[in-house]
Amino acid sequence: MYRTHIMVCGVAGCASNKSFKIVEELNKQLTERGLNGEVKVITTGCFGLCAKGPIVVIYPDGTLYHSVKAEDVTDILEQHVLGGKPVERLLYKEQNGTVVNSLKDTEFMKKQIHLALRNCGVIDPENIEEYIGRDGYQALAKVLTQMTPQDVIDVVLASGLRGRGGAGFPTGLKWKFAKASEGPVKYVCCNADEGDPGAFMDRSVLEGDPHVVIEAMAIAAYAIGSNQGYVYVRAEYPVAVQRLQLAIDQAKQYGLLGKNIFGTGFDFDLEIRLGAGAFVCGEETALMTSIEGKRGEPRPRPPFPAIKGLFAKPTILNNVETYANIPQIILKGAEWFSSIGTEKSKGTKVFALGGKITNTGLVEVPMGTTLREVLFEIGGGIPNGKKFKAAQTGGPSGGCIPAQHLDIPIDYDNLISIGSMMGSGGLIVMDEDNCMVDIAKFFLEFTVDESCGKCTPCRIGNKRLLELLTKVTEGTATLEDLDKMEQLCYYIKANSLCGLGQTAPNPVLSTLRYFKDEYIAHVVDKKCPAGVCKKLLKYSIDKEACIGCGMCAKKCPAEAISRTDYTAPGHKLASMAIDNEKCVKCGACMSTCKFGAVKKG
Amino acid sequence: MKQKIAIPFDGTPEQEKQLRAVLAELKSVPGGLMPALQKAQGIYGYLPKEVMIIIAEEMSVPLSEVYGVATFYAQFSLTPKGKYQIGLCLGTACYVKGSGEIYNELVKLLGIESGGVTPDKMFSLDATRCLGCCGLAPVMSINGEVYGNLTVKSVADIIEKYRQLEG
Ligand SMILES: Cc1cc2nc3c(=O)[nH]c(=O)nc-3n(C[C@H](O)[C@H](O)[C@H](O)COP(=O)(O)O)c2cc1C
Ligand code: SF4
Ligand code: SF4
Ligand code: FES
């Protein structure tokens, strides 16, 4: 038995901040000190507090250390592990300065409930024993030995679980349709393509708790009558792929995957397939075409995958986080699960908080939590004293939520009603320095780039829409163009073949709805209020503040800055001025000037 | 008689042997073309025409289909990458924190756009989606090494560091 466990986050931001060096140093020093029989170092998945990484948590007391470096290891071992006193300087501090000893007592954790993330940061994802030690594979055992496939579907239906991949379709219903589809060969697929360009929830589950996905897929296979599963993972997630493969191998060794699982005669095998960087492959029919080894173009529906999916056989596809809820629903019951959340959205949702927010990272909250709670209590608010402008959910298919809707409880239906959507869980915060027209353009550039080209409304329509948006950001659009844009949005939504095209105009529509004034400022006043759109940007030098040092002129790549013949009172040298015809808006002068004399506007 | 295809560029016989071994295994796997292309790119670093021809032959699929799949997916590259592969995150969280500016700076510094390689084959630049390090936004990776909290100034320093490395 180990008396102390030291958990070090080994994924995402913490890994990039060299958390593996901490692990190396810990193990080295533990060996030198002859402590490696007493203290165990475990590389875990994400704790959620990415902004303060690398994170180290020490059990049994649960002490949380943040921003840890390899150099801190000596203190952690000598003071904490041997001396029993926490290392003050590494303890987590709230914004008001209070020192918090353990993760669960932080403001960050208070309103969170971890269901999908329950094992992330808690177990060693590379060790199946640790998963089993947290009730792992018990749900599968229960299902195979005590429940009929119909029982399983009834429980999932009654739990009210809806898909976490975007659309929120009831999971039990999907399984029910696939079960009803006759046929000896059916497939169970998992969507780990995580296409939202600013999100990493599914990755964190795969890296922090890969077995939960395997167990849930086996349960789903039993329920619908399938023996083969595929997990489609983004190729950009090598660690997730490697951990999942390891988990599959271990599960096979333990007889939890493969032939005759638990001696019940049920067979289930699982294979990983890698995506190759195409957003549209997150769409269900495109994903299946891609697993078939073809160009990942969507197919018209119907027929729905439950009838004719992968290799033309009945197939279900669920998102990673959807699966991560299944084993607990089986073990704790539908009633327990449906007691969490709102009337029509049960359970929790994981969000990847990013952008202009203090605590960037992963959070899991019960459905019905308000955006204000997520952003200002858990997220710690907007940094640098800036003002909140909007929160974006649903990625390129979603919309921007303005301050007036901060108090709306987050669930599938509420988000739709305010012009956004739940999406897979990206939650990006924007402050007063972000231009909403520019953000809409950012998302549209993404979808234009990712449109598979199969249908015209999406391929050409979105391109035209992007051209119009570009005109707005360059100050050459008219008010009629804004109306044209809106019409085009509705046309694209109504006529595209797949979800990509059908939702692509959403970021434009939602910004037009809530931030029309910004559009008008670009169109009528030829100004970008946030000072982002380059073509509308003007740099100028405040001639009273300029001391005439000439530094800016040296840095200007376009030789746009020259001396005037005006010398401000109290200054020795004549001040400088910018020729806006020559200026390339690089901002070099502004960052060079030590006297704040260069203005942007 | 089947014609043997020699690989120009810097393809070696060992690489070809490796490739053929992989293909022999994937031939019978349903939907094996994507994994075949991924493995091939892993071996060669990119997908030269010669390699696609071998894949088409060995897997018994038309070359046009191999080419169609290879060009559909952003991950596959038909041209070689640089010695230092720069991936700049243009994910939403990074973009909101100014990675667009960083991208422009890199374009200026390297003289190439996303997808390009410098003439000396030293650097290649790709705009990527979320690298999962949004806490460090804006972020870029160079051959897997991640650099966070980038500023226009710090990227210049980082690129300079790599240039110095090469003398
Ligand atoms: C363009 C597009 C991209 C999508 N990307 C993803 C994705 O990355 N991950 C995901 O789970 N679902 C994605 N979806 C939703 C899937 O089509 C599908 O609804 C989902 O995987 C079903 O699983 P669920 O019911 O468990 O949510 C995407 C849909 C569209 C139209
Ligand atoms: S809507 Fe866009 S992505 Fe979907 S099938 Fe049409 S062109 Fe392809
Ligand atoms: S750097 Fe500032 S103070 Fe110096 S010349 Fe330029 S604007 Fe004036
Ligand atoms: S958006 Fe850049 S790392 Fe997540």
Side-chain angles (χ1 to χ4, degrees), chain A residues 12-13 16-18 197 203 235 273-277 290 292 294-296 311 355-356 360 434 438 442-443 446 450 534, chain B residues 29-31 34 38 68-69 72-75 90-93 95-97 101 129-136 145-146:
Chain A
S16 314
N17 253 333
K18 314 229 166 15
R203 165 184 174 164
R273 282 300 165 86
L274 298 188
S290 181
E292 290 166 8
K294 303 187 200 128
R295 290 165 67 93
F311 300 115
K356 306 284 183 65
T360 31
N434 291 113
D438 179 66
F442 164 79
F443 282 115
F446 178 86
E450 294 294 341
K534 280 233 154 89
Chain B
V29 174
M34 284 261 294
Q38 278 156 340
V69 173
F72 182 82
Y73 296 97
Q75 190 206 9
L90 283 183
T92 321
Y95 186 77
V96 167
K97 285 197 162 180
E101 287 292 315
R129 320 283 185 226
C130 183
L131 296 171
C133 320
C134 313
L136 308 175
E145 174 105 1
V146 172

Side-chain angles (χ1 to χ4, degrees), chain A residues 144 227 254-268:
Chain A
L144 294 184
N227 302 113
Y254 277 64
L256 299 165
L257 265 185
K259 295 256 176 265
N260 195 17
I261 299 172
F262 288 122
T264 56
F266 172 66
D267 305 336
F268 182 62

Side-chain angles (χ1 to χ4, degrees), chain A residues 457-516:
Chain A
C458 169
R459 184 184 67 240
I460 299 178
N462 280 315
K463 214 167 194 151
R464 292 291 97 81
L465 188 56
L466 178 58
E467 284 163 8
L468 285 168
L469 261 183
T470 308
K471 275 175 77 180
V472 177
T473 59
E474 295 182 346
T476 53
T478 60
L479 286 173
E480 290 77 65
D481 284 332
L482 293 187
D483 295 335
K484 235 195 264 172
M485 271 167 58
E486 200 167 340
Q487 279 167 13
L488 187 53
C489 284
Y490 289 119
Y491 173 80
I492 296 169
K493 280 171 76 76
N495 294 295
S496 293
L497 173 65
C498 86
L500 189 149
Q502 288 156 12
T503 57
N506 287 354
V508 181
L509 283 174
S510 86
T511 46
L512 269 174
R513 174 164 164 194
Y514 295 117
F515 300 95
K516 189 87 177 237

Side-chain angles (χ1 to χ4, degrees), chain A residues 78-100:
Chain A
E78 287 183 357
Q79 277 188 44
H80 187 138
V81 177
L82 294 171
K85 277 204 291 293
V87 185
E88 296 287 340
R89 77 187 140 85
L90 299 175
L91 284 174
Y92 181 77
K93 283 177 209 63
E94 299 289 1
Q95 279 174 319
N96 63 14
T98 8
V99 176
V100 186

